[in-house]
Amino acid sequence: MNDRVDDSKLGPAARWAQLSARRLDWAFEAYDLFMKALSEETRNRFATGGDNGEAYVVVFGRTQVGKTTLLLDLMGVSPQEAGRVSDVLRGGRASGESATATAMEYRRSADDRWHISWDGELAFDKDADMASALSALRLRMSAGKLKVDRPIVVWIPANSFSEEGRSGPRVRMLDLPGDNPKDKTEQQHVTAMAEKYVPNADLILLVGRADDLSFLNPDALTLPRIQDWRVIPERFRIVTTFSFTPHSLQHAVKTETGELDAEFFRRRLRSEIETFGSKLPEELVPSRLLYPLEFGKSWSNQAHAASNLFERVDPVVRKLKQQLHADIEEAATAYARLRSAIQVHITADEIKSIRLKEWDDEIAHICGKIAQIDAERAHGEKRLNDCEIAQQKIEDVEDQAIFAELEARVTAFRTDALESPGTVEPRRDAIALCISHFSRRLQDRAKQFEPASEGQASGRFWQALRPDEEIDSSRYREAIHAEFSSLKSRLDGYSLDRYLPWMPGSNFDEDKTLLRDSMNRAVLAISQHIGQHWKKVADKRIATLRNAQRLAMEKVEMARRDLEEVGRRASRLASSMQHEQTRRQAFSDQMDRDREMGERFKAYLNDAYLHAVRDRRQSARAQGASPDALLLLLSAAQLRFERSKIFQLDQT
Ligand SMILES: Nc1nc2c(ncn2[C@@H]2O[C@H](COP(=O)(O)OP(=O)(O)OP(=O)(O)O)[C@@H](O)[C@H]2O)c(=O)[nH]1
Ligand SMILES: [Mg+2]
């Protein structure tokens, strides 16, 4: 900075005014140099204003929380006209639905007409025509036919503004659509607009309803620049709408006997934020950055309500609004940009320790869940293993083989049991005795019948027969008896014991044949009986086994599915752990960079200051003993004062 230009022609007052006006040049030059030295990514974290460096404010928040209403109020739209103006700006959207479709910049019209500038400029006399134009714009946007890469400028008719509103802040105000849009196109648009306009904004108004403070939760603020609000709180203001209508607030007001001032409501807001979200220490986010506000008809209607709530609270609301006006004007100055740059490193360390602690708690929480899930997984693995062993223990049944072997054994039984009567004395008793002996033998054989022998493949299948599976042997006697009944009744009819075979009409041969046939039939009946019985038992056993197999398989499947589910949960947890750790690291690195950047900025400032002071002193020396030299020395002292003012901020 060279003050040796020919300023001697200036009078002392003009010269002093000139030097005074330049008292911060060194700081702004340092700021510019510092900005130029930053990477683009880092530079984006600082306010640089609009395209031409002009200051602007951006509102950000969920849909339908009152962003547009707030902006209109800040611009000075009169409360009586606010409803009409927002109806037009809704572009035909029903109340309650997301209203602002794209980034809009509002300005006061020089006349009483609406104007809109997009592809060209259009003007409308009637509200309805303007609303239709906005509605058409929204439709084109939703259909993806409108690529919006800069805000649409809307001039609001001058007659909508109140007298006092005409002196509103001369700042560009950008209205962004809600950050929870209804479809993908809107989502991409909001993200793109926020990415584009939030970074360089001088002030970002984070707007949310007082009865839903979750908009401040770190998880809710997903856009990177918005997440910065805890890092550079000076660039943000937290504005809550609907702040004075909740019953809890009204109750608190009623029971408060002391004076109701802005501080009272700010304190309340802070404690509510801390109740529903994370800590918000005063030293990091000073109360002056919090704005509990209320707008709209339902609030102004309270003026007529019987309670004196409105009378007590409205002056505070008005005061807060005035403060926000002043705040916005102040924030949009180069000095404020300087200050917010300095703030970065002051807050970085503290934010780092607070956020890292929160992160560590979250990570510890996830670790706890991982340990829990590991135990669950071990239990699940054991269960699966047990089920598989149980399943393997249930042998596989080959029913064909079992039935074939059973059939073969029954056939062998029949073959073995078949006898011929042999030589029988021609006597009735001898035949009866033969029947009785044969019957006993057949019964004994039948009792000894086993469906499989040890060596057979089906041996294991038949193991451990239960008593209820055994044949009721009394049934054999009855079956055998039935086969001999006709022969027996013939024998019972004879009066003589002895047959006289040589006598014509003797029945001996016939009875002998009958005896043989009955014996054969008895064998057949018993073998059928045996076969049917064991077939039935085998059927049951096979069904039971199959059932057990199915159940075991189901158990294995269930255990496997449960284990897979545990696995999925475990991998979700592992990836969220990884994600948190990565974010934590990135955040920590960012904070370190911020701090380091702040230090660098201080160094830039100091260099620039020393340079400027030296420059003025040298200029003073070069002037010799002259009034200008004195003014230059005084201005060097002024620089020292400004420097300590700037660095004092450093210590607050
Ligand atoms: N009672 C009350 N109503 C409010 C307040 N702020 C806004 N409203 C009403 O809330 C509704 C939504 O307001 P907007 O300003 O359109 O909300 P927005 O956040 O711009 O909505 P989008 O453009 O959809 O994102 C309107 O009917 C407003 O009148 C408030 O503080 N109190
Ligand atoms: Mg809106």
Side-chain angles (χ1 to χ4, degrees):
M1 171 183 340
N2 190 350
D3 294 301
R4 271 171 291 173
V5 279
D6 190 13
D7 299 314
S8 49
K9 292 187 190 111
L10 294 173
R15 176 67 169 143
W16 176 249
Q18 182 199 46
L19 288 170
S20 225
R22 291 184 190 163
R23 71 191 188 282
L24 278 169
D25 281 6
W26 58 275
F28 295 135
E29 277 164 22
Y31 180 74
D32 287 344
L33 268 179
F34 170 66
M35 282 291 159
K36 279 190 193 122
L38 295 177
S39 69
E40 195 186 337
E41 200 254 328
T42 318
R43 195 166 39 242
N44 282 343
R45 294 169 65 86
F46 295 88
T48 52
D51 294 343
N52 306 318
E54 76 272 46
Y56 70 83
V57 170
V58 169
V59 286
F60 193 81
R62 291 178 179 154
T63 193
Q64 287 299 291
V65 296
K67 299 183 297 300
T68 304
T69 312
L70 164 71
L71 278 192
L72 296 180
D73 191 90
L74 284 172
M75 288 179 70
V77 169
S78 76
Q80 297 75 23
E81 298 295 320
R84 175 175 79 89
V85 173
S86 22
D87 276 353
V88 174
L89 295 176
R90 301 186 75 79
R93 273 289 167 108
S95 122
E97 279 180 349
S98 108
T100 310
T102 176
M104 300 259 196
E105 182 181 336
Y106 305 125
R107 294 187 189 169
R108 190 150 60 87
S109 178
D111 52 27
D112 291 341
R113 308 173 80 198
W114 288 95
H115 299 257
I116 180 168
S117 159
W118 174 237
D119 285 339
E121 202 181 308
L122 293 170
F124 301 99
D125 286 315
K126 290 187 188 147
D127 288 357
D129 294 341
M130 179 66 182
S132 309
L134 286 172
S135 163
L137 199 78
R138 173 197 303 284
L139 283 179
R140 279 175 64 199
M141 236 202 67
S142 307
K145 288 186 191 146
L146 188 65
K147 291 277 165 279
V148 187
D149 56 1
R150 62 197 148 91
I152 288 169
V153 185
V154 169
W155 283 265
I156 298 168
N159 58 10
S160 321
F161 289 79
S162 63
E163 263 316 309
E164 57 186 26
R166 301 199 176 152
S167 59
R170 290 186 196 289
V171 182
R172 292 177 59 185
M173 294 208 195
L174 292 197
D175 189 9
L176 290 185
D179 76 333
N180 49 339
K182 67 170 178 31
D183 58 39
K184 218 173 153 200
T185 325
E186 237 180 77
Q187 167 78 65
Q188 283 168 347
H189 175 66
V190 174
T191 310
M193 287 291 122
E195 286 283 350
K196 188 162 171 157
Y197 292 110
V198 170
N200 302 333
D202 291 285
L203 207 60
I204 299 144
L205 305 181
L206 280 184
V207 188
R209 290 178 59 123
D211 53 5
D212 180 10
L213 294 169
S214 61
F215 73 101
L216 289 174
N217 290 350
D219 289 350
L221 301 169
T222 45
L223 291 171
R225 307 287 176 232
I226 297 293
Q227 279 175 339
D228 281 354
W229 85 268
R230 279 166 185 264
V231 186
I232 319 178
E234 288 293 337
R235 282 189 64 202
F236 292 82
R237 298 293 178 273
I238 308 300
V239 180
T240 55
T241 50
F242 297 81
S243 308
F244 301 100
T245 29
H247 287 301
S248 58
L249 188 284
Q250 298 192 359
H251 179 72
V253 168
K254 264 185 216 153
T255 48
E256 175 64 33
T257 48
E259 198 199 341
L260 287 177
D261 55 7
E263 202 38 48
F264 171 81
F265 294 109
R266 282 176 157 151
R267 251 197 328 273
R268 243 191 91 83
L269 176 55
R270 180 187 300 281
S271 86
E272 298 258 301
I273 293 174
E274 294 195 331
T275 308
F276 294 103
S278 43
K279 286 265 156 266
L280 198 69
E282 169 79 37
E283 56 278 20
L284 293 186
V285 183
S287 287
R288 63 187 162 76
L289 306 184
L290 307 180
Y291 285 96
L293 296 178
E294 177 82 43
F295 303 93
K297 271 207 187 102
S298 58
W299 176 242
S300 39
N301 286 345
Q302 297 259 2
H304 314 295
S307 78
N308 65 349
L309 176 90
F310 187 82
E311 280 165 38
R312 290 183 74 198
V313 174
D314 197 54
V316 186
V317 178
R318 280 169 189 276
K319 194 169 164 207
L320 280 164
K321 284 181 187 170
Q322 279 161 9
Q323 279 182 12
L324 186 54
H325 269 263
D327 214 357
I328 287 173
E329 273 177 352
E330 211 278 323
T333 61
Y335 193 77
R337 287 181 189 164
L338 197 68
R339 206 169 60 174
S340 82
I342 287 198
Q343 284 288 326
V344 173
H345 95 288
I346 306 169
T347 43
D349 273 346
E350 269 173 293
I351 292 278
K352 183 178 166 188
S353 69
I354 291 175
R355 288 282 284 132
L356 290 195
K357 165 88 183 57
E358 283 171 8
W359 239 307
D360 288 342
D361 288 350
E362 175 60 23
I363 288 173
H365 181 65
I366 301 178
C367 273
K369 280 188 175 170
I370 288 179
Q372 237 173 29
I373 218 150
D374 281 347
E376 229 179 287
R377 197 210 303 257
H379 178 259
E381 278 166 356
K382 185 177 176 314
R383 183 178 141 213
L384 177 61
N385 193 36
D386 289 350
C387 290
E388 280 171 347
I389 291 173
Q391 188 192 19
Q392 281 155 14
K393 274 189 186 157
I394 302 171
E395 62 179 296
D396 197 24
V397 272
E398 282 197 39
D399 46 359
Q400 303 275 15
I402 286 161
F403 290 127
E405 281 174 13
L406 178 63
E407 178 94 34
R409 286 187 69 78
V410 172
T411 308
F413 169 83
R414 194 167 55 236
T415 315
D416 290 352
L418 278 177
E419 291 179 24
S420 90
T423 315
V424 184
E425 265 190 71
R427 280 180 33 232
R428 185 181 65 179
D429 284 354
I431 290 183
L433 199 65
C434 186
I435 292 172
S436 146
H437 284 168
F438 172 76
S439 297
R440 177 140 313 116
R441 270 198 310 282
L442 186 57
Q443 274 183 59
D444 288 346
R445 273 175 190 278
K447 276 184 200 162
Q448 279 157 22
F449 180 86
E450 280 179 358
S453 69
E454 279 292 302
Q456 277 185 305
S458 59
R460 282 188 58 201
F461 173 79
W462 290 108
Q463 261 173 7
L465 284 175
R466 296 189 312 271
D468 63 305
E469 289 175 323
E470 299 284 359
I471 294 187
D472 174 6
S473 54
S474 66
R475 306 277 301 278
Y476 295 141
R477 208 169 41 244
E478 287 159 22
I480 295 169
H481 183 76
E483 297 306 330
F484 286 100
S485 62
S486 73
L487 178 58
K488 274 189 177 162
S489 33
R490 269 169 79 101
L491 295 180
D492 287 345
Y494 296 154
S495 50
L496 293 176
D497 175 46
R498 179 171 283 280
Y499 292 92
L500 301 174
W502 62 89
M503 280 183 62
S506 162
N507 292 338
F508 183 60
D509 286 341
E510 213 177 301
D511 287 354
K512 226 174 121 181
T513 308
L514 213 52
L515 174 66
R516 194 179 57 240
D517 290 350
S518 300
M519 283 164 72
N520 288 350
R521 275 205 316 277
V523 169
L524 201 64
I526 292 301
S527 60
Q528 272 173 356
H529 190 70
I530 287 173
Q532 279 162 5
H533 173 81
W534 290 112
K535 162 97 176 36
K536 221 190 265 176
V537 173
D539 280 342
K540 266 196 186 162
R541 283 198 155 213
I542 287 167
T544 310
L545 266 171
R546 290 259 149 85
N547 204 26
Q549 268 174 342
R550 191 174 48 74
L551 286 176
M553 211 160 73
E554 276 172 14
K555 277 188 176 173
V556 168
E557 265 317 298
M558 214 185 295
R560 185 169 291 137
R561 274 202 303 272
D562 287 353
L563 192 59
E564 280 166 4
E565 161 61 17
V566 171
R568 277 195 294 275
R569 275 193 285 140
S571 72
R572 275 202 297 273
L573 274 177
S575 65
S576 84
M577 173 83 143
Q578 168 102 41
H579 179 66
E580 288 304 322
Q581 274 168 341
T582 314
R583 280 179 58 203
R584 182 193 184 282
Q585 192 55 48
F587 178 80
S588 171
D589 295 347
Q590 179 65 59
M591 290 299 102
D592 290 345
R593 283 199 298 273
D594 283 350
R595 188 172 35 72
E596 197 237 326
M597 210 161 57
E599 295 294 342
R600 257 169 44 212
F601 183 43
K602 271 168 76 180
Y604 269 82
L605 274 177
N606 268 328
D607 281 357
Y609 165 74
L610 290 174
H611 193 265
V613 169
R614 203 171 45 234
D615 204 37
R616 293 206 177 190
R617 283 189 184 142
Q618 274 173 5
S619 301
R621 269 199 297 276
Q623 298 285 322
S626 70
D628 199 46
L630 181 63
L631 288 178
L632 280 165
L633 287 175
L634 281 174
S635 86
Q638 197 184 26
L639 299 195
R640 197 168 62 238
F641 173 73
E642 286 303 332
R643 178 183 174 272
S644 66
K645 224 167 90 182
I646 291 172
F647 281 90
Q648 226 173 15
L649 290 171
D650 199 349
Q651 285 132 35
T652 51

